[in-house]
Amino acid sequence: MTNRSKSQPNDKMALRLDFSHMMSDFVGPDRGITRQEIDDLIPRTSAIAADIEAKREAGDLGFYQLPYDMEAAAAATDMAGRFQGKCDDLVVLGIGGSALGGTALFRALCHPLHNLLSKSERGGKPRVFILDNVDPATVGSLLDFVDLEKTVFNVITKSGSTAETLSQFLIIRQLLTDKIGRESVKEHLVVTTGAGGQLRQLAEQEGYPLLSIPETVGGRFSVLSPVGLFPAALFGVDIAELLAGARYMDDRCRTDQLWQNPAYLAGALHYLADVKKGLSIAIMMPYSDALIQVGYWFRQLWAESLGKAINNSGETVNVGPTPVVASGVTDQHSQLQLYSEGPFNKLITFLLVENPDQSLTIPQHLEPREGISYLGGRDLEELMQIEAQSTQLALTKAGRSNMSLILPQTNAFTIGQLFFLLEVQTVFAGGLYGINPMDQPGVEASKQYIYGMLGRSGFEDKAREAKKWRDRGGRYTI
Ligand code: PA5
């Protein structure tokens, strides 16, 4: 473990955490956190940090290795090179952790209207569609829309057995086979999967190009593995910078000094806000359309990792804050009333970008006009910043805890930092709650009923249970 003190060349691109508005001297003693409450977590922090470090060294927390896995990055880049320039469309098939990271990367780092640009305006990169649902209206419309012969499909599933993703895959494989013949399917399909599972076996048999997800990397922690890297390389993200950003954040977070570790501190603030102050709803509110999908990626990470029934000692605890995504400035006109005056049960994390790429000046009105002229000559960028500040001020004045994660710019390096910070924050918060942040028994339980109800062998007891549940009389309906 290191204490980070030396200045880094990339420091001007460093993310900052401003947690002033979490503290009791800003939001008042009832909901605000005191320095003493943070200090009280220091002994537990040392123990949790040592546990994390031991697991990391043993290779059990695989996401920590991803920013250093140059082989996996090269495999993703090479695979993208095979399809670069040869396809008009990239369609990703996946769900949960196999879809949300790629979606976040696409929205954060590609042109906001990428799919509407011409191919040359996109620099030859494909349009991008991420199918993370099995709604036949969406799947069918997309398949009618794309030209199969100019499309690459990336099937992503860590387990290789998720019914939703396998169903999409089977539909697409059939369509491709019918159109171009079985032998040519491999020219349009890339399979990203774990070591076990049916899909891997099938891909090996059929000779589909394969990318591997390390066994110790769970779906929601996989964005910096080939799960996110292959599509990102294909749609034009600088993945070397993305990984460099993650390594930079790792360097900042590899200390057990709570006051110096941004991820640990953010995790501790969330934990204290929930457990001590009753702020059990964690709202992430980006003031940047490009970062909205990072909010949804985090929503899964926080919910699936921390929402647990049983703690590490086997006791029933039923813990976990509820993550919510809100959109700045839009939701000032939808949610803010509730956030400022409703129950004291919310903690808001703003995602702010200090220097956005784009600005647009509001023209001066021709003649001075009360209530309108004050906008003239201002930039939309400035308006967005002022709206964020006014929201922070109003919330803080109303005693509502909030903090800000500030990106100097939106680029691959800062997004790499952001992903890594939030992942470390999640693992540390798991330690504070005393639960295992890496499993998801609630998701697995539902998957087993799906298998049972669809007749997969080995899940007959689940099928019987489901039938009994469906046949149960005395339902309340109107
Ligand atoms: O984070 C997780 O583990 C889950 O959300 C999975 O990503 C999701 O259930 C999809 O699983 P798989 O990638 O095995 O298809």
Side-chain angles (χ1 to χ4, degrees):
M1 234 165 278
T2 56
N3 280 337
R4 181 180 168 277
S5 54
K6 61 183 188 302
S7 156
Q8 304 279 338
N10 288 314
D11 281 355
K12 65 179 189 326
M13 279 296 147
L15 256 62
R16 294 198 316 280
L17 173 70
D18 184 339
F19 58 100
S20 314
H21 304 149
M22 295 292 297
M23 303 303 284
S24 57
D25 40 336
F26 280 84
V27 281
D30 289 348
R31 267 95 202 168
I33 290 165
T34 61
R35 285 184 152 268
Q36 187 58 51
E37 283 171 316
I38 296 176
D39 283 342
D40 289 345
L41 288 180
I42 288 175
R44 290 188 65 199
T45 299
S46 307
I48 295 166
D51 182 51
I52 290 175
E53 193 63 22
K55 289 190 173 126
R56 176 179 177 158
E57 287 300 318
D60 294 339
L61 294 174
F63 81 91
Y64 272 110
Q65 305 312 322
L66 296 176
Y68 303 91
D69 189 347
M70 294 307 138
E71 224 173 280
T77 312
D78 290 351
M79 190 68 83
R82 266 163 78 167
F83 294 94
Q84 206 59 265
K86 294 190 194 129
C87 57
D88 287 350
D89 294 310
L90 163 67
V91 178
V92 175
L93 316 175
I95 199 162
S98 290
L100 287 158
T103 309
L105 281 166
F106 176 55
R107 285 294 282 116
L109 298 171
C110 287
H111 189 286
L113 299 179
H114 178 93
N115 283 354
L116 299 182
L117 301 178
S118 68
K119 195 166 180 180
S120 66
E121 286 168 331
R122 298 194 307 267
K125 309 290 179 224
R127 291 180 298 192
V128 179
F129 302 95
I130 299 179
L131 274 185
D132 66 349
N133 205 346
V134 287
D135 186 329
T138 315
V139 179
S141 316
L142 181 64
L143 294 177
D144 287 343
F145 177 72
V146 297
D147 179 349
L148 294 180
E149 292 184 77
K150 293 185 183 157
T151 301
V152 57
F153 294 92
N154 182 202
V155 191
I156 309 179
T157 163
K158 163 82 189 297
S159 60
S161 62
T162 301
E164 295 89 333
T165 307
L166 287 187
S167 304
Q168 295 170 335
F169 160 72
L170 291 171
I171 291 169
I172 277 145
R173 188 174 74 144
Q174 189 62 54
L175 284 175
L176 282 170
T177 306
D178 293 347
K179 180 132 196 186
I180 56 176
R182 193 170 160 185
E183 263 314 296
S184 303
V185 171
K186 51 177 162 296
E187 285 150 34
H188 294 268
L189 207 56
V190 175
V191 172
T192 307
T193 193
Q198 297 300 321
L199 186 62
R200 183 166 202 107
Q201 281 178 27
L202 185 78
E204 281 170 355
Q205 266 165 25
E206 304 276 322
Y208 301 143
L210 256 174
L211 291 167
S212 294
I213 309 173
E215 273 319 284
T216 53
V217 176
R220 57 192 175 275
F221 290 89
S222 68
V223 60
L224 300 177
S225 79
V227 169
L229 296 185
F230 165 66
L234 196 51
F235 55 67
V237 169
D238 185 339
I239 64 172
E241 275 295 287
L242 185 74
L243 296 177
R247 288 195 299 274
Y248 178 75
M249 184 53 74
D250 184 31
D251 189 38
R252 289 184 69 189
C253 296
R254 209 168 183 182
T255 168
D256 63 358
Q257 302 298 303
L258 183 53
W259 286 98
Q260 289 175 28
N261 185 324
Y264 284 10
L265 202 46
L269 291 163
H270 271 274
Y271 171 77
L272 289 171
D274 177 19
V275 170
K276 294 231 168 197
K277 314 291 168 183
L279 310 183
S280 61
I281 300 177
I283 297 161
M284 181 169 272
M285 191 165 184
Y287 271 72
S288 155
D289 286 345
L291 297 180
I292 284 294
Q293 291 296 334
V294 172
Y296 284 100
W297 169 84
F298 175 70
R299 186 176 70 143
Q300 186 218 13
L301 182 70
W302 206 236
E304 266 188 25
S305 303
L306 301 182
K308 297 291 152 74
I310 310 290
N311 70 10
N312 294 330
S313 311
E315 296 151 348
T316 300
V317 284
N318 298 114
V319 292
T322 302
V324 169
V325 183
S327 172
V329 306
T330 312
D331 285 335
Q332 286 177 211
H333 301 272
S334 162
Q335 302 296 295
L336 187 56
Q337 173 62 31
L338 174 70
Y339 298 172
S340 4
E341 295 193 3
F344 279 91
N345 58 0
K346 299 172 196 66
L347 153 61
I348 297 145
T349 301
F350 295 102
L351 278 188
L352 305 174
V353 182
E354 218 159 34
N355 300 298
D357 285 349
Q358 302 243 355
S359 195
L360 204 55
T361 305
I362 306 163
Q364 296 281 0
H365 198 269
L366 290 180
E367 70 240 21
R369 206 170 270 252
E370 177 51 31
I372 297 183
S373 302
Y374 74 99
L375 292 169
R378 302 282 194 177
D379 288 335
L380 287 190
E381 172 208 334
E382 184 190 4
L383 179 59
M384 200 135 181
Q385 310 260 14
I386 284 176
E387 300 231 13
Q389 286 168 19
S390 70
T391 304
Q392 289 169 332
L393 172 58
L395 286 171
T396 308
K397 197 169 164 215
R400 310 295 166 144
S401 300
N402 62 92
M403 60 179 154
S404 299
L405 269 173
I406 304 156
L407 284 70
Q409 278 173 15
T410 306
N411 57 39
F413 187 77
T414 58
I415 294 296
Q417 289 182 64
L418 183 57
F419 281 137
F420 206 79
L421 173 113
L422 294 171
E423 288 175 340
V424 177
Q425 170 184 319
T426 303
V427 172
F428 179 69
L432 290 172
Y433 282 103
I435 52 89
N436 177 5
M438 309 314 282
D439 66 1
Q440 55 285 325
V443 181
E444 302 305 333
S446 146
K447 282 188 179 183
Q448 294 192 0
Y449 287 125
I450 296 172
Y451 297 147
M453 287 192 232
L454 288 171
R456 181 174 169 187
S457 68
F459 295 87
E460 291 76 9
D461 57 332
K462 297 291 168 191
R464 278 191 295 276
E465 204 189 323
K467 181 169 182 331
K468 210 166 142 198
W469 169 78
R470 274 196 296 226
D471 293 347
R472 183 180 161 164
R475 302 197 75 84
Y476 298 88
T477 57
I478 189 167

